[in-house]
Amino acid sequence: KWNERLFLECYDAYMAGRAETDPAETWYEGEIGFFDFYIIPLAKKLKECGVFGVSSAEYLRYAEQNRKEWEARGREIVDEYV
């Protein structure tokens, strides 16, 4: 939901001439990087420090599952956004 809203905001800016790059060209790869370099490392650190107790491992698992789903369906999802 939030991913789509941010994409559409960026896409609208591109279509209106306020952004130089079409986000549809890089969105899929950008989200993979977001998972790999921000979301999953953060979830791992939260698990290591135990700040959320037993839920920390669950959050990491969800992050990894979401990344796998994006890898499998992300290009299709971006196509649906446009």
Side-chain angles (χ1 to χ4, degrees), residues 32-52:
I32 294 291
F34 187 60
F35 278 109
D36 289 347
F37 299 109
Y38 186 77
I39 298 296
I40 292 174
L42 176 60
K44 286 179 179 179
K45 288 181 183 186
L46 292 173
K47 181 182 174 192
E48 287 171 15
C49 73
V51 70
F52 292 114

Side-chain angles (χ1 to χ4, degrees), residues 2-70:
W2 292 109
N3 187 27
E4 181 179 11
R5 288 180 181 179
L6 179 58
F7 175 88
L8 292 176
E9 184 176 329
C10 294
Y11 189 74
D12 288 346
Y14 170 72
M15 295 302 289
R18 295 188 314 271
E20 295 181 13
T21 307
D22 180 352
E25 295 176 9
T26 59
W27 202 262
Y28 171 82
E29 294 84 3
E31 290 300 299
I32 294 291
F34 187 60
F35 278 109
D36 289 347
F37 299 109
Y38 186 77
I39 298 296
I40 292 174
L42 176 60
K44 286 179 179 179
K45 288 181 183 186
L46 292 173
K47 181 182 174 192
E48 287 171 15
C49 73
V51 70
F52 292 114
V54 294
S55 296
S56 298
E58 187 175 353
Y59 298 150
L60 174 58
R61 190 170 52 255
Y62 289 152
E64 291 170 339
Q65 288 172 348
N66 285 342
R67 192 226 186 261
K68 285 179 186 175
E69 182 176 356
W70 183 260

